[in-house]
PDB file of all heavy atoms in Angstrom:
ATOM      1  N   ARG A   1      81.398   8.770-143.974  1.00  0.00           N
ATOM      2  CA  ARG A   1      81.938   9.606-145.020  1.00  0.00           C
ATOM      3  C   ARG A   1      82.173   8.822-146.345  1.00  0.00           C
ATOM      4  O   ARG A   1      82.916   9.264-147.227  1.00  0.00           O
ATOM      5  CB  ARG A   1      83.279  10.213-144.590  1.00  0.00           C
ATOM      6  CG  ARG A   1      83.197  11.034-143.326  1.00  0.00           C
ATOM      7  CD  ARG A   1      84.568  11.736-143.098  1.00  0.00           C
ATOM      8  NE  ARG A   1      84.653  12.129-141.711  1.00  0.00           N
ATOM      9  CZ  ARG A   1      85.682  12.845-141.189  1.00  0.00           C
ATOM     10  NH1 ARG A   1      86.715  13.136-141.997  1.00  0.00           N
ATOM     11  NH2 ARG A   1      85.733  13.162-139.922  1.00  0.00           N
ATOM     12  N   ASN A   2      81.591   7.654-146.448  1.00  0.00           N
ATOM     13  CA  ASN A   2      81.900   6.753-147.534  1.00  0.00           C
ATOM     14  C   ASN A   2      80.754   6.654-148.521  1.00  0.00           C
ATOM     15  O   ASN A   2      79.760   7.460-148.428  1.00  0.00           O
ATOM     16  CB  ASN A   2      82.258   5.334-147.009  1.00  0.00           C
ATOM     17  CG  ASN A   2      81.151   4.749-146.208  1.00  0.00           C
ATOM     18  OD1 ASN A   2      80.133   4.297-146.742  1.00  0.00           O
ATOM     19  ND2 ASN A   2      81.259   4.767-144.899  1.00  0.00           N
ATOM     20  N   PHE A   3      80.846   5.781-149.459  1.00  0.00           N
ATOM     21  CA  PHE A   3      79.828   5.622-150.564  1.00  0.00           C
ATOM     22  C   PHE A   3      78.626   4.788-150.064  1.00  0.00           C
ATOM     23  O   PHE A   3      77.621   4.630-150.784  1.00  0.00           O
ATOM     24  CB  PHE A   3      80.455   4.912-151.775  1.00  0.00           C
ATOM     25  CG  PHE A   3      81.366   5.691-152.539  1.00  0.00           C
ATOM     26  CD1 PHE A   3      82.795   5.551-152.385  1.00  0.00           C
ATOM     27  CD2 PHE A   3      80.975   6.702-153.493  1.00  0.00           C
ATOM     28  CE1 PHE A   3      83.702   6.350-153.094  1.00  0.00           C
ATOM     29  CE2 PHE A   3      81.800   7.440-154.206  1.00  0.00           C
ATOM     30  CZ  PHE A   3      83.180   7.258-154.073  1.00  0.00           C
ATOM     31  N   GLY A   4      78.669   4.146-148.908  1.00  0.00           N
ATOM     32  CA  GLY A   4      77.614   3.322-148.485  1.00  0.00           C
ATOM     33  C   GLY A   4      77.515   2.055-149.362  1.00  0.00           C
ATOM     34  O   GLY A   4      76.468   1.515-149.605  1.00  0.00           O
ATOM     35  N   HIS A   5      78.660   1.566-149.803  1.00  0.00           N
ATOM     36  CA  HIS A   5      78.711   0.499-150.811  1.00  0.00           C
ATOM     37  C   HIS A   5      79.471  -0.673-150.258  1.00  0.00           C
ATOM     38  O   HIS A   5      80.663  -0.579-149.912  1.00  0.00           O
ATOM     39  CB  HIS A   5      79.469   1.045-152.070  1.00  0.00           C
ATOM     40  CG  HIS A   5      79.603   0.034-153.159  1.00  0.00           C
ATOM     41  ND1 HIS A   5      80.741   0.005-153.936  1.00  0.00           N
ATOM     42  CD2 HIS A   5      78.809  -0.953-153.543  1.00  0.00           C
ATOM     43  CE1 HIS A   5      80.533  -0.990-154.815  1.00  0.00           C
ATOM     44  NE2 HIS A   5      79.442  -1.580-154.631  1.00  0.00           N
ATOM     45  N   ALA A   6      78.786  -1.769-150.030  1.00  0.00           N
ATOM     46  CA  ALA A   6      79.397  -3.022-149.629  1.00  0.00           C
ATOM     47  C   ALA A   6      79.839  -3.794-150.862  1.00  0.00           C
ATOM     48  O   ALA A   6      79.023  -4.536-151.432  1.00  0.00           O
ATOM     49  CB  ALA A   6      78.505  -3.875-148.718  1.00  0.00           C
ATOM     50  N   CYS A   7      81.064  -3.544-151.350  1.00  0.00           N
ATOM     51  CA  CYS A   7      81.529  -4.035-152.599  1.00  0.00           C
ATOM     52  C   CYS A   7      82.185  -5.413-152.415  1.00  0.00           C
ATOM     53  O   CYS A   7      83.344  -5.599-152.762  1.00  0.00           O
ATOM     54  CB  CYS A   7      82.452  -3.098-153.329  1.00  0.00           C
ATOM     55  SG  CYS A   7      83.779  -2.440-152.166  1.00  0.00           S
ATOM     56  N   GLY A   8      81.444  -6.389-151.994  1.00  0.00           N
ATOM     57  CA  GLY A   8      82.012  -7.657-151.593  1.00  0.00           C
ATOM     58  C   GLY A   8      82.560  -8.461-152.748  1.00  0.00           C
ATOM     59  O   GLY A   8      83.593  -9.156-152.660  1.00  0.00           O
ATOM     60  N   THR A   9      81.934  -8.439-153.885  1.00  0.00           N
ATOM     61  CA  THR A   9      82.279  -9.328-154.992  1.00  0.00           C
ATOM     62  C   THR A   9      83.707  -9.039-155.484  1.00  0.00           C
ATOM     63  O   THR A   9      84.419  -9.971-155.941  1.00  0.00           O
ATOM     64  CB  THR A   9      81.289  -9.102-156.178  1.00  0.00           C
ATOM     65  OG1 THR A   9      79.969  -9.284-155.685  1.00  0.00           O
ATOM     66  CG2 THR A   9      81.573 -10.146-157.292  1.00  0.00           C
ATOM     67  N   ALA A  10      84.195  -7.784-155.404  1.00  0.00           N
ATOM     68  CA  ALA A  10      85.447  -7.449-155.866  1.00  0.00           C
ATOM     69  C   ALA A  10      86.601  -7.811-154.939  1.00  0.00           C
ATOM     70  O   ALA A  10      87.763  -7.485-155.280  1.00  0.00           O
ATOM     71  CB  ALA A  10      85.518  -5.944-156.237  1.00  0.00           C
ATOM     72  N   GLN A  11      86.348  -8.404-153.862  1.00  0.00           N
ATOM     73  CA  GLN A  11      87.395  -8.772-152.905  1.00  0.00           C
ATOM     74  C   GLN A  11      87.910 -10.143-153.187  1.00  0.00           C
ATOM     75  O   GLN A  11      87.363 -10.902-153.939  1.00  0.00           O
ATOM     76  CB  GLN A  11      86.826  -8.691-151.427  1.00  0.00           C
ATOM     77  CG  GLN A  11      86.087  -7.444-151.129  1.00  0.00           C
ATOM     78  CD  GLN A  11      86.877  -6.138-151.337  1.00  0.00           C
ATOM     79  OE1 GLN A  11      88.095  -6.149-151.140  1.00  0.00           O
ATOM     80  NE2 GLN A  11      86.182  -5.116-151.806  1.00  0.00           N
ATOM     81  N   ASP A  12      88.963 -10.514-152.408  1.00  0.00           N
ATOM     82  CA  ASP A  12      89.403 -11.905-152.412  1.00  0.00           C
ATOM     83  C   ASP A  12      89.939 -12.288-151.045  1.00  0.00           C
ATOM     84  O   ASP A  12      89.963 -11.466-150.127  1.00  0.00           O
ATOM     85  CB  ASP A  12      90.513 -12.126-153.484  1.00  0.00           C
ATOM     86  CG  ASP A  12      91.889 -11.487-153.109  1.00  0.00           C
ATOM     87  OD1 ASP A  12      91.923 -10.722-152.143  1.00  0.00           O
ATOM     88  OD2 ASP A  12      92.907 -11.836-153.758  1.00  0.00           O
ATOM     89  N   GLY A  13      90.274 -13.530-150.866  1.00  0.00           N
ATOM     90  CA  GLY A  13      90.852 -13.999-149.593  1.00  0.00           C
ATOM     91  C   GLY A  13      89.941 -13.751-148.457  1.00  0.00           C
ATOM     92  O   GLY A  13      88.725 -13.984-148.496  1.00  0.00           O
ATOM     93  N   ASP A  14      90.546 -13.334-147.291  1.00  0.00           N
ATOM     94  CA  ASP A  14      89.736 -13.077-146.059  1.00  0.00           C
ATOM     95  C   ASP A  14      88.710 -12.080-146.294  1.00  0.00           C
ATOM     96  O   ASP A  14      87.586 -12.209-145.807  1.00  0.00           O
ATOM     97  CB  ASP A  14      90.697 -12.593-144.968  1.00  0.00           C
ATOM     98  CG  ASP A  14      91.585 -13.702-144.436  1.00  0.00           C
ATOM     99  OD1 ASP A  14      91.363 -14.908-144.657  1.00  0.00           O
ATOM    100  OD2 ASP A  14      92.589 -13.400-143.813  1.00  0.00           O
ATOM    101  N   ALA A  15      89.028 -11.019-147.074  1.00  0.00           N
ATOM    102  CA  ALA A  15      88.015  -9.960-147.314  1.00  0.00           C
ATOM    103  C   ALA A  15      86.791 -10.474-148.049  1.00  0.00           C
ATOM    104  O   ALA A  15      85.667 -10.076-147.655  1.00  0.00           O
ATOM    105  CB  ALA A  15      88.672  -8.812-148.127  1.00  0.00           C
ATOM    106  N   LEU A  16      86.950 -11.386-149.001  1.00  0.00           N
ATOM    107  CA  LEU A  16      85.775 -11.954-149.672  1.00  0.00           C
ATOM    108  C   LEU A  16      84.992 -12.765-148.721  1.00  0.00           C
ATOM    109  O   LEU A  16      83.692 -12.689-148.764  1.00  0.00           O
ATOM    110  CB  LEU A  16      86.312 -12.728-150.883  1.00  0.00           C
ATOM    111  CG  LEU A  16      85.217 -13.433-151.762  1.00  0.00           C
ATOM    112  CD1 LEU A  16      84.260 -12.363-152.317  1.00  0.00           C
ATOM    113  CD2 LEU A  16      85.853 -14.278-152.828  1.00  0.00           C
ATOM    114  N   ARG A  17      85.632 -13.573-147.896  1.00  0.00           N
ATOM    115  CA  ARG A  17      84.879 -14.381-146.955  1.00  0.00           C
ATOM    116  C   ARG A  17      84.139 -13.468-145.978  1.00  0.00           C
ATOM    117  O   ARG A  17      82.931 -13.717-145.732  1.00  0.00           O
ATOM    118  CB  ARG A  17      85.815 -15.268-146.187  1.00  0.00           C
ATOM    119  CG  ARG A  17      85.121 -16.244-145.220  1.00  0.00           C
ATOM    120  CD  ARG A  17      86.031 -17.197-144.516  1.00  0.00           C
ATOM    121  NE  ARG A  17      86.898 -16.501-143.492  1.00  0.00           N
ATOM    122  CZ  ARG A  17      88.110 -16.206-143.626  1.00  0.00           C
ATOM    123  NH1 ARG A  17      88.794 -16.432-144.721  1.00  0.00           N
ATOM    124  NH2 ARG A  17      88.800 -15.588-142.612  1.00  0.00           N
ATOM    125  N   TYR A  18      84.742 -12.458-145.411  1.00  0.00           N
ATOM    126  CA  TYR A  18      84.125 -11.572-144.533  1.00  0.00           C
ATOM    127  C   TYR A  18      82.915 -10.909-145.193  1.00  0.00           C
ATOM    128  O   TYR A  18      81.852 -10.756-144.581  1.00  0.00           O
ATOM    129  CB  TYR A  18      85.057 -10.443-144.012  1.00  0.00           C
ATOM    130  CG  TYR A  18      86.193 -10.951-143.199  1.00  0.00           C
ATOM    131  CD1 TYR A  18      87.406 -10.218-143.186  1.00  0.00           C
ATOM    132  CD2 TYR A  18      86.192 -12.081-142.412  1.00  0.00           C
ATOM    133  CE1 TYR A  18      88.521 -10.593-142.462  1.00  0.00           C
ATOM    134  CE2 TYR A  18      87.283 -12.534-141.675  1.00  0.00           C
ATOM    135  CZ  TYR A  18      88.463 -11.763-141.719  1.00  0.00           C
ATOM    136  OH  TYR A  18      89.541 -12.144-140.981  1.00  0.00           O
ATOM    137  N   ALA A  19      83.090 -10.464-146.394  1.00  0.00           N
ATOM    138  CA  ALA A  19      82.094  -9.728-147.178  1.00  0.00           C
ATOM    139  C   ALA A  19      80.790 -10.615-147.379  1.00  0.00           C
ATOM    140  O   ALA A  19      79.678 -10.162-147.233  1.00  0.00           O
ATOM    141  CB  ALA A  19      82.616  -9.201-148.445  1.00  0.00           C
ATOM    142  N   ARG A  20      81.084 -11.828-147.814  1.00  0.00           N
ATOM    143  CA  ARG A  20      79.959 -12.754-148.077  1.00  0.00           C
ATOM    144  C   ARG A  20      79.209 -12.991-146.770  1.00  0.00           C
ATOM    145  O   ARG A  20      77.952 -13.045-146.744  1.00  0.00           O
ATOM    146  CB  ARG A  20      80.472 -14.051-148.637  1.00  0.00           C
ATOM    147  CG  ARG A  20      80.916 -13.922-150.084  1.00  0.00           C
ATOM    148  CD  ARG A  20      81.608 -15.199-150.533  1.00  0.00           C
ATOM    149  NE  ARG A  20      81.842 -15.188-152.039  1.00  0.00           N
ATOM    150  CZ  ARG A  20      82.709 -16.014-152.612  1.00  0.00           C
ATOM    151  NH1 ARG A  20      83.462 -16.896-151.867  1.00  0.00           N
ATOM    152  NH2 ARG A  20      82.830 -15.961-153.922  1.00  0.00           N
ATOM    153  N   ASN A  21      79.899 -13.197-145.695  1.00  0.00           N
ATOM    154  CA  ASN A  21      79.296 -13.475-144.392  1.00  0.00           C
ATOM    155  C   ASN A  21      78.539 -12.274-143.787  1.00  0.00           C
ATOM    156  O   ASN A  21      77.618 -12.395-143.014  1.00  0.00           O
ATOM    157  CB  ASN A  21      80.311 -14.033-143.376  1.00  0.00           C
ATOM    158  CG  ASN A  21      80.820 -15.395-143.786  1.00  0.00           C
ATOM    159  OD1 ASN A  21      80.157 -16.111-144.501  1.00  0.00           O
ATOM    160  ND2 ASN A  21      81.979 -15.737-143.242  1.00  0.00           N
ATOM    161  N   ALA A  22      78.951 -11.075-144.191  1.00  0.00           N
ATOM    162  CA  ALA A  22      78.372  -9.825-143.675  1.00  0.00           C
ATOM    163  C   ALA A  22      77.028  -9.556-144.325  1.00  0.00           C
ATOM    164  O   ALA A  22      76.209  -8.831-143.673  1.00  0.00           O
ATOM    165  CB  ALA A  22      79.303  -8.652-143.972  1.00  0.00           C
ATOM    166  N   ARG A  23      76.760 -10.068-145.457  1.00  0.00           N
ATOM    167  CA  ARG A  23      75.507  -9.656-146.193  1.00  0.00           C
ATOM    168  C   ARG A  23      74.223  -9.953-145.373  1.00  0.00           C
ATOM    169  O   ARG A  23      73.327  -9.092-145.290  1.00  0.00           O
ATOM    170  CB  ARG A  23      75.435 -10.386-147.545  1.00  0.00           C
ATOM    171  CG  ARG A  23      76.443  -9.815-148.556  1.00  0.00           C
ATOM    172  CD  ARG A  23      76.585 -10.723-149.721  1.00  0.00           C
ATOM    173  NE  ARG A  23      77.567 -10.201-150.649  1.00  0.00           N
ATOM    174  CZ  ARG A  23      78.301 -10.955-151.519  1.00  0.00           C
ATOM    175  NH1 ARG A  23      78.132 -12.255-151.589  1.00  0.00           N
ATOM    176  NH2 ARG A  23      79.160 -10.377-152.329  1.00  0.00           N
ATOM    177  N   ALA A  24      74.114 -11.129-144.775  1.00  0.00           N
ATOM    178  CA  ALA A  24      72.939 -11.438-144.046  1.00  0.00           C
ATOM    179  C   ALA A  24      72.756 -10.513-142.815  1.00  0.00           C
ATOM    180  O   ALA A  24      71.633 -10.181-142.471  1.00  0.00           O
ATOM    181  CB  ALA A  24      72.983 -12.916-143.584  1.00  0.00           C
ATOM    182  N   THR A  25      73.859 -10.129-142.214  1.00  0.00           N
ATOM    183  CA  THR A  25      73.784  -9.271-141.033  1.00  0.00           C
ATOM    184  C   THR A  25      73.324  -7.889-141.448  1.00  0.00           C
ATOM    185  O   THR A  25      72.561  -7.270-140.715  1.00  0.00           O
ATOM    186  CB  THR A  25      75.142  -9.212-140.344  1.00  0.00           C
ATOM    187  OG1 THR A  25      75.595 -10.521-139.966  1.00  0.00           O
ATOM    188  CG2 THR A  25      75.028  -8.347-139.053  1.00  0.00           C
ATOM    189  N   TRP A  26      73.794  -7.395-142.596  1.00  0.00           N
ATOM    190  CA  TRP A  26      73.325  -6.103-143.036  1.00  0.00           C
ATOM    191  C   TRP A  26      71.803  -6.107-143.278  1.00  0.00           C
ATOM    192  O   TRP A  26      71.093  -5.167-142.865  1.00  0.00           O
ATOM    193  CB  TRP A  26      74.002  -5.679-144.364  1.00  0.00           C
ATOM    194  CG  TRP A  26      75.292  -4.976-144.227  1.00  0.00           C
ATOM    195  CD1 TRP A  26      76.538  -5.373-144.618  1.00  0.00           C
ATOM    196  CD2 TRP A  26      75.473  -3.682-143.594  1.00  0.00           C
ATOM    197  NE1 TRP A  26      77.475  -4.366-144.304  1.00  0.00           N
ATOM    198  CE2 TRP A  26      76.808  -3.326-143.710  1.00  0.00           C
ATOM    199  CE3 TRP A  26      74.565  -2.743-143.088  1.00  0.00           C
ATOM    200  CZ2 TRP A  26      77.345  -2.111-143.259  1.00  0.00           C
ATOM    201  CZ3 TRP A  26      75.111  -1.500-142.569  1.00  0.00           C
ATOM    202  CH2 TRP A  26      76.457  -1.235-142.706  1.00  0.00           C
ATOM    203  N   ALA A  27      71.320  -7.165-143.862  1.00  0.00           N
ATOM    204  CA  ALA A  27      69.868  -7.309-144.099  1.00  0.00           C
ATOM    205  C   ALA A  27      69.103  -7.326-142.766  1.00  0.00           C
ATOM    206  O   ALA A  27      68.055  -6.712-142.595  1.00  0.00           O
ATOM    207  CB  ALA A  27      69.594  -8.479-144.948  1.00  0.00           C
ATOM    208  N   HIS A  28      69.611  -8.152-141.857  1.00  0.00           N
ATOM    209  CA  HIS A  28      68.966  -8.287-140.514  1.00  0.00           C
ATOM    210  C   HIS A  28      68.958  -6.920-139.779  1.00  0.00           C
ATOM    211  O   HIS A  28      67.883  -6.551-139.261  1.00  0.00           O
ATOM    212  CB  HIS A  28      69.713  -9.303-139.727  1.00  0.00           C
ATOM    213  CG  HIS A  28      69.393  -9.367-138.301  1.00  0.00           C
ATOM    214  ND1 HIS A  28      68.179  -9.975-137.861  1.00  0.00           N
ATOM    215  CD2 HIS A  28      69.952  -8.848-137.165  1.00  0.00           C
ATOM    216  CE1 HIS A  28      68.130  -9.899-136.535  1.00  0.00           C
ATOM    217  NE2 HIS A  28      69.208  -9.207-136.106  1.00  0.00           N
ATOM    218  N   LEU A  29      70.056  -6.223-139.799  1.00  0.00           N
ATOM    219  CA  LEU A  29      70.125  -5.001-139.011  1.00  0.00           C
ATOM    220  C   LEU A  29      69.299  -3.894-139.694  1.00  0.00           C
ATOM    221  O   LEU A  29      68.684  -3.060-139.009  1.00  0.00           O
ATOM    222  CB  LEU A  29      71.583  -4.511-138.864  1.00  0.00           C
ATOM    223  CG  LEU A  29      72.386  -5.263-137.825  1.00  0.00           C
ATOM    224  CD1 LEU A  29      73.868  -4.877-137.897  1.00  0.00           C
ATOM    225  CD2 LEU A  29      71.804  -5.047-136.426  1.00  0.00           C
ATOM    226  N   ALA A  30      69.204  -3.878-141.000  1.00  0.00           N
ATOM    227  CA  ALA A  30      68.382  -2.885-141.709  1.00  0.00           C
ATOM    228  C   ALA A  30      66.904  -3.063-141.263  1.00  0.00           C
ATOM    229  O   ALA A  30      66.213  -2.126-141.093  1.00  0.00           O
ATOM    230  CB  ALA A  30      68.549  -2.993-143.203  1.00  0.00           C
ATOM    231  N   ASP A  31      66.568  -4.335-141.161  1.00  0.00           N
ATOM    232  CA  ASP A  31      65.188  -4.614-140.739  1.00  0.00           C
ATOM    233  C   ASP A  31      64.884  -4.234-139.322  1.00  0.00           C
ATOM    234  O   ASP A  31      63.910  -3.582-138.999  1.00  0.00           O
ATOM    235  CB  ASP A  31      64.853  -6.088-140.968  1.00  0.00           C
ATOM    236  CG  ASP A  31      63.502  -6.461-140.528  1.00  0.00           C
ATOM    237  OD1 ASP A  31      62.515  -5.971-141.011  1.00  0.00           O
ATOM    238  OD2 ASP A  31      63.367  -7.331-139.637  1.00  0.00           O
ATOM    239  N   LYS A  32      65.835  -4.601-138.415  1.00  0.00           N
ATOM    240  CA  LYS A  32      65.639  -4.351-136.990  1.00  0.00           C
ATOM    241  C   LYS A  32      65.912  -2.900-136.608  1.00  0.00           C
ATOM    242  O   LYS A  32      65.193  -2.344-135.732  1.00  0.00           O
ATOM    243  CB  LYS A  32      66.579  -5.272-136.203  1.00  0.00           C
ATOM    244  CG  LYS A  32      66.275  -6.736-136.337  1.00  0.00           C
ATOM    245  CD  LYS A  32      64.845  -7.074-135.874  1.00  0.00           C
ATOM    246  CE  LYS A  32      64.566  -8.561-136.012  1.00  0.00           C
ATOM    247  NZ  LYS A  32      63.156  -8.924-135.647  1.00  0.00           N
ATOM    248  N   ALA A  33      66.916  -2.232-137.272  1.00  0.00           N
ATOM    249  CA  ALA A  33      67.282  -0.894-136.787  1.00  0.00           C
ATOM    250  C   ALA A  33      66.543   0.162-137.675  1.00  0.00           C
ATOM    251  O   ALA A  33      66.573   1.373-137.318  1.00  0.00           O
ATOM    252  CB  ALA A  33      68.770  -0.742-136.946  1.00  0.00           C
ATOM    253  N   GLY A  34      65.988  -0.211-138.802  1.00  0.00           N
ATOM    254  CA  GLY A  34      65.160   0.683-139.563  1.00  0.00           C
ATOM    255  C   GLY A  34      65.917   1.671-140.462  1.00  0.00           C
ATOM    256  O   GLY A  34      65.447   2.811-140.546  1.00  0.00           O
ATOM    257  N   PHE A  35      67.005   1.248-141.053  1.00  0.00           N
ATOM    258  CA  PHE A  35      67.644   2.133-142.055  1.00  0.00           C
ATOM    259  C   PHE A  35      67.505   1.549-143.456  1.00  0.00           C
ATOM    260  O   PHE A  35      67.258   0.332-143.622  1.00  0.00           O
ATOM    261  CB  PHE A  35      69.098   2.336-141.683  1.00  0.00           C
ATOM    262  CG  PHE A  35      69.973   1.088-141.581  1.00  0.00           C
ATOM    263  CD1 PHE A  35      70.553   0.499-142.707  1.00  0.00           C
ATOM    264  CD2 PHE A  35      70.137   0.450-140.344  1.00  0.00           C
ATOM    265  CE1 PHE A  35      71.312  -0.610-142.593  1.00  0.00           C
ATOM    266  CE2 PHE A  35      70.892  -0.725-140.256  1.00  0.00           C
ATOM    267  CZ  PHE A  35      71.512  -1.259-141.369  1.00  0.00           C
ATOM    268  N   TRP A  36      67.688   2.430-144.509  1.00  0.00           N
ATOM    269  CA  TRP A  36      67.554   2.017-145.825  1.00  0.00           C
ATOM    270  C   TRP A  36      68.688   1.059-146.220  1.00  0.00           C
ATOM    271  O   TRP A  36      69.877   1.272-145.937  1.00  0.00           O
ATOM    272  CB  TRP A  36      67.577   3.217-146.761  1.00  0.00           C
ATOM    273  CG  TRP A  36      67.474   2.815-148.204  1.00  0.00           C
ATOM    274  CD1 TRP A  36      66.333   2.513-148.899  1.00  0.00           C
ATOM    275  CD2 TRP A  36      68.612   2.619-149.100  1.00  0.00           C
ATOM    276  NE1 TRP A  36      66.635   2.125-150.165  1.00  0.00           N
ATOM    277  CE2 TRP A  36      68.036   2.172-150.365  1.00  0.00           C
ATOM    278  CE3 TRP A  36      69.947   2.690-148.997  1.00  0.00           C
ATOM    279  CZ2 TRP A  36      68.783   1.898-151.483  1.00  0.00           C
ATOM    280  CZ3 TRP A  36      70.741   2.488-150.135  1.00  0.00           C
ATOM    281  CH2 TRP A  36      70.153   2.056-151.306  1.00  0.00           C
ATOM    282  N   TYR A  37      68.327   0.039-146.990  1.00  0.00           N
ATOM    283  CA  TYR A  37      69.247  -0.984-147.393  1.00  0.00           C
ATOM    284  C   TYR A  37      68.784  -1.544-148.756  1.00  0.00           C
ATOM    285  O   TYR A  37      67.547  -1.668-148.955  1.00  0.00           O
ATOM    286  CB  TYR A  37      69.323  -2.080-146.337  1.00  0.00           C
ATOM    287  CG  TYR A  37      69.694  -3.472-146.813  1.00  0.00           C
ATOM    288  CD1 TYR A  37      71.017  -3.920-146.817  1.00  0.00           C
ATOM    289  CD2 TYR A  37      68.724  -4.340-147.320  1.00  0.00           C
ATOM    290  CE1 TYR A  37      71.313  -5.198-147.233  1.00  0.00           C
ATOM    291  CE2 TYR A  37      69.050  -5.612-147.785  1.00  0.00           C
ATOM    292  CZ  TYR A  37      70.375  -6.063-147.753  1.00  0.00           C
ATOM    293  OH  TYR A  37      70.701  -7.252-148.161  1.00  0.00           O
ATOM    294  N   GLY A  38      69.674  -1.821-149.639  1.00  0.00           N
ATOM    295  CA  GLY A  38      69.311  -2.414-150.902  1.00  0.00           C
ATOM    296  C   GLY A  38      70.359  -3.342-151.447  1.00  0.00           C
ATOM    297  O   GLY A  38      71.555  -3.031-151.382  1.00  0.00           O
ATOM    298  N   ARG A  39      69.900  -4.548-151.885  1.00  0.00           N
ATOM    299  CA  ARG A  39      70.841  -5.434-152.625  1.00  0.00           C
ATOM    300  C   ARG A  39      70.789  -5.023-154.033  1.00  0.00           C
ATOM    301  O   ARG A  39      70.209  -5.606-154.921  1.00  0.00           O
ATOM    302  CB  ARG A  39      70.389  -6.862-152.435  1.00  0.00           C
ATOM    303  CG  ARG A  39      71.393  -7.857-152.980  1.00  0.00           C
ATOM    304  CD  ARG A  39      71.041  -9.250-152.482  1.00  0.00           C
ATOM    305  NE  ARG A  39      71.914 -10.268-153.091  1.00  0.00           N
ATOM    306  CZ  ARG A  39      71.973 -11.569-152.776  1.00  0.00           C
ATOM    307  NH1 ARG A  39      71.200 -11.945-151.785  1.00  0.00           N
ATOM    308  NH2 ARG A  39      72.766 -12.374-153.349  1.00  0.00           N
ATOM    309  N   THR A  40      71.458  -3.906-154.349  1.00  0.00           N
ATOM    310  CA  THR A  40      71.316  -3.188-155.606  1.00  0.00           C
ATOM    311  C   THR A  40      72.328  -3.665-156.648  1.00  0.00           C
ATOM    312  O   THR A  40      72.161  -3.360-157.843  1.00  0.00           O
ATOM    313  CB  THR A  40      71.485  -1.683-155.422  1.00  0.00           C
ATOM    314  OG1 THR A  40      72.818  -1.463-154.866  1.00  0.00           O
ATOM    315  CG2 THR A  40      70.479  -1.107-154.443  1.00  0.00           C
ATOM    316  N   GLY A  41      73.368  -4.255-156.180  1.00  0.00           N
ATOM    317  CA  GLY A  41      74.396  -4.657-157.139  1.00  0.00           C
ATOM    318  C   GLY A  41      75.322  -3.513-157.509  1.00  0.00           C
ATOM    319  O   GLY A  41      75.125  -2.333-157.121  1.00  0.00           O
ATOM    320  N   THR A  42      76.267  -3.830-158.332  1.00  0.00           N
ATOM    321  CA  THR A  42      77.219  -2.862-158.899  1.00  0.00           C
ATOM    322  C   THR A  42      77.302  -3.000-160.343  1.00  0.00           C
ATOM    323  O   THR A  42      77.421  -4.097-160.847  1.00  0.00           O
ATOM    324  CB  THR A  42      78.664  -3.011-158.282  1.00  0.00           C
ATOM    325  OG1 THR A  42      78.584  -2.919-156.874  1.00  0.00           O
ATOM    326  CG2 THR A  42      79.649  -1.980-158.809  1.00  0.00           C
TER     327      THR A  42
END
């Protein structure tokens, strides 16, 4: 029910670390699971 937006840059602390580390996994899963993904920025 969300925007589908991984807004990592706007975070800080633990959230920023988690968000940065999550990016590679999103790209990997998009490739393997076959869903649309874009490093589109904000």
Side-chain angles (χ1 to χ4, degrees):
R1 304 186 199 182
N2 59 76
F3 289 99
H5 179 216
C7 50
T9 307
Q11 311 305 325
D12 73 347
D14 290 341
L16 180 59
R17 184 177 72 257
Y18 297 152
R20 285 170 171 164
N21 291 338
R23 289 168 180 152
T25 304
W26 271 117
H28 169 78
L29 283 173
D31 178 59
K32 297 299 183 182
F35 58 86
W36 178 84
Y37 152 94
R39 188 167 175 171
T40 61
T42 302

